[in-house]
């Protein structure tokens, strides 16, 4: 537990959370907002475009799923979007070793029947090469959801 707290403090020192809508369009063109309809209600999740027909997301977003609505080309949940698709459970996949109790292997895929067109506001995320060394470099972790004060 102590090591967890120390790591959390070290991480928190470098994290800046921005809850206001993004001011610059197309800054994160791989980000998608997901409106998830579950057996027991609705939820928000987010994901990344990894291919025009595939969205990478957390597997827990697919627990007890009825359908998922994908919005791409969006920087604000209240703003306009360039792509929308409704996906049923049959077109989703959770990691075969995902454990909903521990959240181990919490990774999933959404397969889109209508691929997302490549535009300045929508394109797959660029992944680093296997030989790259990101140690010491800045990175951005982004997502859509509900903040601690209840704002979308």
């Amino acid at each position: 537990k102590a090591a967890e707290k120390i790591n959390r403090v070290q991480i928190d020192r470098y994290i800046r959370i921005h809850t206001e809508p993004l001011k610059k369009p197309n800054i994160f063109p791989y980000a998608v907002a997901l409106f998830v309809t579950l057996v027991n209600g609705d939820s928000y999740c987010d994901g990344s475009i990894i291919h025009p027909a595939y969205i990478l997301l957390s597997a827990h977003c697919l627990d007890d799923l009825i359908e998922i609505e994908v919005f791409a080309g969006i920087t604000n949940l209240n703003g306009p979007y360039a792509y929308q698709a409704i996906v049923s459970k049959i077109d989703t996949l959770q990691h075969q070793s995902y454990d909903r109790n521990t959240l181990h292997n919490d990774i999933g895929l959404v397969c889109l029947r209508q691929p997302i067109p490549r535009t300045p506001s929508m394109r797959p995320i660029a992944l680093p090469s296997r030989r790259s060394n990101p140690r010491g470099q800045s990175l951005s972790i982004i997502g859509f959801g509900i903040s601690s004060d209840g704002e979308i």
Side-chain angles (χ1 to χ4, degrees):
K1 294 276 186 197
E4 264 181 44
K5 287 181 183 177
I6 291 169
N7 286 338
R8 183 79 238 157
V9 169
Q10 289 173 342
I11 290 169
D12 287 346
R13 192 180 312 155
Y14 298 101
I15 292 178
R16 279 186 244 143
I17 298 175
H18 301 279
T19 56
E20 75 272 1
L22 298 172
K23 305 289 186 229
K24 294 164 64 175
N26 309 331
I27 194 165
F28 299 113
Y30 49 82
V32 296
L34 306 167
F35 183 72
V36 185
T37 303
L38 306 169
V39 172
N40 295 320
D42 298 329
S43 184
Y44 289 102
C45 279
D46 50 69
S48 296
I49 303 167
I50 58 169
H51 178 277
Y54 293 98
I55 304 297
L56 182 71
L57 72 162
S58 299
H60 71 262
C61 293
L62 304 174
D63 287 344
D64 304 319
L65 180 71
I66 295 174
E67 69 181 19
I68 192 163
E69 197 166 1
V70 178
F71 296 94
I74 183 172
T75 57
N76 179 338
L77 289 177
N78 297 315
Y81 53 87
Y83 173 94
Q84 177 188 19
I86 296 178
V87 179
S88 64
K89 184 170 181 69
I90 198 165
D91 292 320
T92 66
L93 179 69
Q94 291 175 311
H95 189 284
Q96 64 185 12
S97 299
Y98 165 62
D99 183 325
R100 74 189 306 171
N101 295 317
T102 64
L103 296 181
H104 287 132
N105 301 303
D106 188 14
I107 190 166
L109 283 175
V110 170
C111 178
L112 303 170
R113 293 180 186 226
Q114 182 69 37
I116 296 172
R118 183 183 275 267
T119 70
S121 67
M122 303 180 297
R123 67 176 179 266
I125 190 168
L127 299 175
S129 71
R130 289 179 185 247
R131 291 187 292 235
S132 68
N133 182 0
R135 187 179 194 122
Q137 294 182 19
S138 295
L139 61 91
S140 296
I141 300 172
I142 59 116
F144 296 99
I146 299 174
S147 66
S148 61
D149 62 1
E151 292 295 315
I152 294 178

